[in-house]
Amino acid sequence: MFGIAPDHVDVDNPYLERKGLAQAFAVKAEQILMHLSTQLQQQEQTPEEPMQQPRIDDLPGRLADPLADGAAAQQAAAPAAALPARLETEKTFIDVPFKQKDEVKVLGAKWDRREQSWYVPAGADLALFAKWTQGAKAVAPDAQPMPAAIQTEHQKPGQEREYLAVPYGDRALAKAAGAEWDKTAKSWYAGPKADMAQLERWKPENVPDQQGPAMTPREEFADALRSVGCVVGGEHPIMDGEKHRISVEGEKHSEKAGSGFYVGHLDGHPAGYIKNNKTGIDMKWKAKGYTFEPEQKALMAAEAAAKLQARETEHNRLQEQAAKRVTRQSLDLVPVEQPTPYMQAKGITPQAGVLTDKEGLTTYIPATDAEGKQWTMQYIQEDGTKRFAKDSRKEGCFHVIKGMDALAKAPALVIGEGYATAGSLSQSLGFATVAAFDSGNLPLVAKVLHEKFPDKLVIIAGDDDKHVEATQGVNPGRAKAEEAAKAVGGKVLFPIFAPGEQAANPRGFTDFNDLANKSVLGTDGIDRQVRCIVDKEIKQHQALVGQQQEHVQKQEQRPRRAAKIG
């Protein structure tokens, strides 16, 4: 009778049949035990009476047809759950064929990605999984170590943000409890007014560590790429064992370029390596054959956000240390009075603010932010080799030829890449100019200086990197100069060399310093190309500013119309 459903009960799913019968028989067994216990107590109270064996008719309910009433069986299931036959304190691993994964999942089994096995969690009825428990092993929950990243996150005192593993479907509940979204880290975190009791369920250590199985290696690798912020599309991922670039979140998409990097192969055990150079997060990947559940994706995002925050904190600390170090180093240097070997090679005269050693060989160029704080120095050797102070901040920092006071009086903000280019421009124009050090820093420097001097015209004197374009298909000098000019509503200039010069030596003819010192056009060429155009743009800008000011004054002087009454 234990394996046969009643004839009048319509059970199409064998699993539901077994589960329903098991629940019903568990309830009946409990009722029998209680009935027998009651009779024994009564027998002990009246020992002179012989104990009678209970008859089937005396027992509560009927065992022959435990599912005779479907509604009654459902009602009986609740007390059965409240009275489990087994109180496990361990999780038991089970052997589940792939085709039966959905069946055990519905029963309550979980997937352990470390052990690569399904298991029965503590407190669940092991009898429901009898067919899969042959050779099963039990492991105490305490034996599962907390991930190192989570331990670090919770043991670190004074952490600014506590990130949460909130699945997409729970975002509204988490937000209502005070969670906030970190756009940079792509993760939820506990806000300043958060109810931590309500957010407890989304703390990383409270999220189940499990995944759903069945995924091809390429699909799994693509999922791993997305988990570190890479934008997967087109042919990606290419699993050929070669190095590939890929775009990441927050940058302009490109099929063959980007701040992401990966290598993936399908030979033997599929494996690979991924790095997001924008966030610094990397991953060593091996195919495991499972997908990421929403909870696990949220957990990975929270852990990545915590790592990113820790990395940024350490990065900022190192930059502050470097700033103090270069400031102390500057005390041992002297102002440049005679041109250094680098200045001689570039044909530029010494300017205030540039330093050198006592021998006058190395050129030291301080780099500051818009507030005047020095963060780093560029060291230029006799042979022109350039480097910056270790662990120092260069992004958004610059050097002003003639100094910040002179820049405040300049009629325009003329910004070039290198120090030599800015020096040549200053010598031609006769006022202060700015060196941003490289093309990638041009947009940042243009923005911070435009914010500091919003009324000044911005002119970007870019490099023309034909040699890079010939080998890599992109011209970073032109691209970044145009991006910087567009960001601040400015103008952009590029050097024009004599016919055949740049084609014969594209690496040697890229910037305005090359125009002044290497081209047959010489200083007259830079004067014609820069001074005339800059003077014209300044006059037009000043005229426009004058018209705008005049319009504002007229608006202020116009008498206000009296308000009508009634």
Side-chain angles (χ1 to χ4, degrees), residues 430-445:
F431 57 80
T433 57
V434 179
F437 298 110
D438 58 43
S439 61
N441 208 28
L442 279 174
L444 294 173
V445 173

Side-chain angles (χ1 to χ4, degrees), residues 196-425:
M196 295 308 299
Q198 294 187 27
L199 296 178
E200 184 73 19
R201 57 184 288 197
W202 294 300
K203 286 186 177 180
E205 65 269 29
N206 296 332
V207 175
D209 193 9
Q210 60 177 336
Q211 290 84 27
M215 201 176 197
T216 67
R218 186 173 184 272
E219 291 173 339
E220 186 183 342
F221 191 59
D223 207 27
L225 284 166
R226 295 186 188 96
S227 71
V228 299
C230 296
V231 179
V232 179
E235 297 180 352
H236 295 297
I238 303 173
M239 308 287 287
D240 58 358
E242 300 294 330
K243 300 176 182 178
H244 296 282
R245 287 285 180 183
I246 187 171
S247 296
V248 301
E249 296 174 354
E251 69 177 5
K252 186 177 180 181
H253 183 266
S254 174
E255 285 293 330
K256 297 183 179 180
S259 300
F261 166 84
Y262 72 87
V263 176
H265 69 82
L266 297 173
D267 302 332
H269 190 141
Y273 175 77
I274 306 168
K275 183 170 184 180
N276 184 330
N277 289 308
K278 187 174 182 179
T279 62
I281 298 175
D282 63 348
M283 173 190 294
K284 293 181 180 179
W285 170 84
K286 288 184 179 180
K288 298 178 176 64
Y290 55 73
T291 62
F292 292 114
E293 298 286 358
E295 293 82 3
Q296 189 64 18
K297 290 180 180 179
L299 176 61
M300 292 178 64
E303 291 177 349
K307 290 179 182 178
L308 178 60
Q309 180 173 264
R311 179 176 175 271
E312 289 178 349
T313 300
E314 177 65 11
H315 187 56
N316 293 337
R317 186 186 68 83
L318 293 175
Q319 287 183 342
E320 287 288 350
Q321 286 185 346
K324 295 177 181 178
R325 188 174 66 251
V326 297
T327 300
R328 291 194 301 268
Q329 184 182 10
S330 300
L331 300 177
D332 297 329
L333 302 175
V334 296
V336 177
E337 296 180 356
Q338 298 297 324
T340 62
Y342 174 74
M343 292 179 176
Q344 293 175 13
K346 293 295 184 177
I348 52 179
T349 58
Q351 297 289 342
V354 180
L355 305 172
T356 186
D357 49 31
K358 295 180 180 179
E359 293 77 17
L361 299 178
T362 303
T363 307
Y364 297 85
I365 305 174
T368 64
D369 60 16
E371 303 304 320
K373 179 177 179 178
Q374 181 178 350
W375 287 93
T376 186
M377 269 198 302
Q378 186 181 47
Y379 311 134
I380 306 180
Q381 305 295 334
E382 299 174 66
D383 60 358
T385 303
K386 302 176 182 178
R387 68 180 181 88
F388 286 89
K390 182 181 179 181
D391 297 326
S392 63
R393 169 190 162 188
K394 181 189 67 177
E395 293 76 12
C397 296
F398 50 87
H399 180 83
V400 180
I401 307 294
K402 297 182 182 294
M404 284 294 291
D405 292 339
L407 185 64
K409 300 175 183 178
L413 298 174
V414 179
I415 307 172
E417 284 192 31
Y419 175 79
T421 299
S424 296
L425 291 169

